[in-house]
Amino acid sequence: PRPLAPKNEDSVRSDELLGRLVESVTGAYSFTAREQEVLHYVLFGHTPAAIAWRLEIRETTVHKHIHRIFAKTNTDTRKRLLDLALRLTANDAWVSAPRRAMAS
């Protein structure tokens, strides 16, 4: 993939959050490596054209990946996909919190 803009402290935090969102969704559903990349950019709010440019693939291919992501997650909009990712991430954090407390 093409490099993104230089990172600052805020972008690192948002990248970490997006990483957690993508991990939660991919932990619950089976995605290809490319679908995971597309999912990351979709959750970040990039357009299909921008995703295609960054991944150096055709825009129609991006649309196909997005369609498959929606089908696998039983969502039909970016907002519903983001809501799902946030719920899964919150659930993962809630479930792992007691484990962290017991380990302390």
Side-chain angles (χ1 to χ4, degrees):
R2 294 183 183 185
L4 300 175
K7 294 185 178 204
N8 61 31
E9 190 175 313
D10 291 333
S11 68
V12 171
R13 281 191 232 134
S14 62
D15 280 351
E16 289 173 10
L17 173 61
L18 283 172
R20 289 185 188 135
L21 293 173
V22 171
E23 284 175 20
S24 293
V25 175
T26 56
Y29 299 93
S30 179
F31 291 119
T32 65
R34 183 61 90 181
E35 287 170 345
Q36 290 178 31
E37 290 177 308
V38 171
L39 174 65
H40 174 85
Y41 289 117
V42 166
L43 292 176
F44 201 83
H46 292 286
T47 64
I51 297 169
W53 180 82
R54 284 202 164 89
L55 298 179
E56 298 178 345
I57 59 178
R58 293 177 36 202
E59 189 173 345
T60 55
T61 305
V62 173
H63 284 287
K64 289 177 183 178
H65 286 303
I66 292 171
H67 177 75
R68 281 195 294 271
I69 290 167
F70 285 162
K72 288 180 180 182
T73 58
N74 199 27
T75 58
D76 57 357
T77 65
R78 289 170 173 249
K79 182 184 180 320
R80 288 188 177 145
L81 181 61
L82 178 60
D83 288 345
L84 172 67
L86 290 169
R87 281 194 317 271
L88 290 170
T89 303
N91 186 52
D92 289 349
W94 185 80
V95 167
S96 66
R99 290 185 199 143
R100 284 195 304 265
M102 290 187 332
S104 298

